[in-house]
Amino acid sequence: MARPISASHDLRRDEILNVAAACFAQRSYPATSMNDIAAACGTSKARLYHYYESKEAILFDLLDRYTQKLLLIVAQVEAKAQRQSLDERAALHELIRAFLREYETSATRHAALLGATQFLGEEPRELILDRQRDVVSAVTRFLRRAYPERLDARNQTAITMTLFGMINWTFTWLRPGGAMSYAAFAEEVIRLLDQGLASST
């Protein structure tokens, strides 16, 4: 009979993913070795291989968990909007706030998603890209519901990507404890978006 996997096994994998994400953000994925990750974890490379068979396996688990988390955020906001009978604009605003709350604690994971997905093998890469497309599609839905008079088939992609352009790269400049908090920035994004898209109504 196979030995059951202990609870500490999953906890250790979480620790490895946290460290690996930081290494990828600092050095880049190609420049980071299993030795680097092991050293940053305070363990041996042999011990690291007990948890992950390769650097790519670490990257995939990191991105697999993170993209699932982003989709879960979408589902949670949709459920909250329905439960609290939020109007469509309020639901979109909640989604923006929820994404930025996540980004505040997931900067290195988000950096890996935007900069290292290309290094996965074809099948795992397509799975992660499909999840990213699902997130983009969900945000487009929120935007179309919030501003039906402004978004149509011609401009919805441009407007959706404008929103992502405002929030997706915060890991490069927005710092917890800095002059502006993530929560305050979320309100600025909402204000810019709402005033810009509502101006022609």
Side-chain angles (χ1 to χ4, degrees), residues 38-161:
C41 287
T43 191
S44 67
K45 187 164 72 168
R47 181 70 174 164
L48 187 60
Y49 278 117
H50 174 68
Y51 292 92
Y52 289 102
E53 63 184 17
S54 66
K55 184 175 72 167
E56 184 181 331
I58 293 175
L59 178 62
F60 175 70
D61 195 19
L62 178 72
L63 299 184
D64 182 46
R65 294 184 188 206
Y66 186 57
T67 51
Q68 287 189 67
K69 181 67 177 293
L70 295 179
L71 288 171
L72 177 61
I73 287 170
V74 172
Q76 289 172 334
V77 171
E78 287 179 329
K80 179 179 180 179
Q82 185 173 23
R83 188 171 61 251
Q84 298 184 1
S85 299
L86 299 179
D87 65 38
E88 302 296 1
R89 289 190 188 180
L92 172 64
H93 299 168
E94 281 301 304
L95 184 65
I96 292 168
R97 293 182 185 110
F99 275 147
L100 283 166
R101 278 195 299 271
E102 177 62 29
Y103 290 0
E104 183 173 10
T105 58
S106 301
T108 55
R109 282 170 165 74
H110 204 71
L113 180 63
L114 296 179
T117 301
Q118 62 184 308
F119 299 109
L120 292 171
E122 183 178 357
E123 189 172 331
R125 182 174 66 249
E126 281 306 309
L127 187 151
I128 299 302
L129 291 175
D130 281 344
R131 295 235 186 93
Q132 287 183 279
R133 294 180 191 111
D134 288 343
V135 171
V136 171
S137 294
V139 172
T140 300
R141 289 197 307 274
F142 273 79
L143 279 163
R144 289 196 69 162
R145 292 169 186 164
Y147 304 100
E149 69 287 343
R150 288 285 284 115
L151 271 74
D152 57 36
R154 296 168 300 171
N155 66 5
Q156 64 183 18
T157 298
I159 292 175
T160 300
M161 299 317 294

Side-chain angles (χ1 to χ4, degrees), residues 154-193:
R154 296 168 300 171
N155 66 5
Q156 64 183 18
T157 298
I159 292 175
T160 300
M161 299 317 294
T162 296
L163 172 55
F164 277 117
M166 285 193 282
I167 68 174
N168 264 7
W169 298 93
T170 47
F171 70 86
T172 66
W173 65 272
L174 190 58
R175 297 289 181 266
M180 176 174 280
S181 68
Y182 274 75
F185 179 64
E187 299 309 314
E188 289 295 336
V189 171
I190 289 166
R191 189 174 298 112
L192 287 168
L193 186 67

